[in-house]
């Protein structure tokens, strides 16, 4: 059942922004979702949540209805991780190791939509093919 979500493509947040009730008239829904996603990822690096707790939250969020704010927080979190792959070479080793373990767990638990999974696996393959004197 966990892998069922990973087999469907997901739409972009901007297409559904009007479905949300804005809590703060000055802040867009997209900014609110981005902040919630950033907070989730930060909780991993600050050890407020351990990896399994964060994976549990993301699993719950991924199973929410597509119009649900939690679903969009999940998608934004995945998008943030995929976007960060271009900066991994600049991460301190400890954060890089934690991120690698976290992404590996997301792959194992089927929590990446197909496009994100392809990107992450391509990134891993590229890293495996690269020079051994890099931290990637």
């Amino acid at each position: 059942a966990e892998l069922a979500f990973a087999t469907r493509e997901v739409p972009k947040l901007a297409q559904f922004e009007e479905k949300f009730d804005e809590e703060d008239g000055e802040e867009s829904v997209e900014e609110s979702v981005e902040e919630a996603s950033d907070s989730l990822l930060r909780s991993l690096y600050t050890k407020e949540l351990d990896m399994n707790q964060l994976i549990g939250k993301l699993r719950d969020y991924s199973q929410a209805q597509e119009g649900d704010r939690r679903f969009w927080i999940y998608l934004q979190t995945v998008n943030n991780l995929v976007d960060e792959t271009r900066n991994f070479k600049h991460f301190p080793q400890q954060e890089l190791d934690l991120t690698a373990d976290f992404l590996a767990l997301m792959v194992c638990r089927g929590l990446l939509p197909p496009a994100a999974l392809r990107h992450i696996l391509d990134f891993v393959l590229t890293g495996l093919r690269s020079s051994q004197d890099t931290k990637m």
Side-chain angles (χ1 to χ4, degrees), residues 2-3 6 55 100-112 116-118 120-121 124:
E2 281 185 18
L3 293 177
I55 288 290
D101 290 345
F102 181 67
L103 282 170
L105 195 53
M106 288 189 74
V107 169
C108 288
R109 300 280 171 86
L111 288 174
L112 294 174
L117 179 60
R118 281 190 300 274
I120 295 299
L121 293 178
V124 169

Side-chain angles (χ1 to χ4, degrees), residues 76-131:
Q76 185 64 50
T77 304
V78 169
N79 287 336
N80 287 346
L81 286 166
V82 168
D83 287 346
E84 278 300 310
T85 59
R86 67 177 173 259
N87 297 316
F88 283 172
K89 61 186 169 209
H90 304 297
F91 276 33
Q93 192 63 48
Q94 185 176 0
E95 286 183 12
L96 184 61
D97 291 345
L98 183 61
T99 304
D101 290 345
F102 181 67
L103 282 170
L105 195 53
M106 288 189 74
V107 169
C108 288
R109 300 280 171 86
L111 288 174
L112 294 174
L117 179 60
R118 281 190 300 274
H119 180 84
I120 295 299
L121 293 178
D122 284 344
F123 181 79
V124 169
L125 286 173
T126 300
L128 290 171
R129 293 179 184 137
S130 70
S131 167

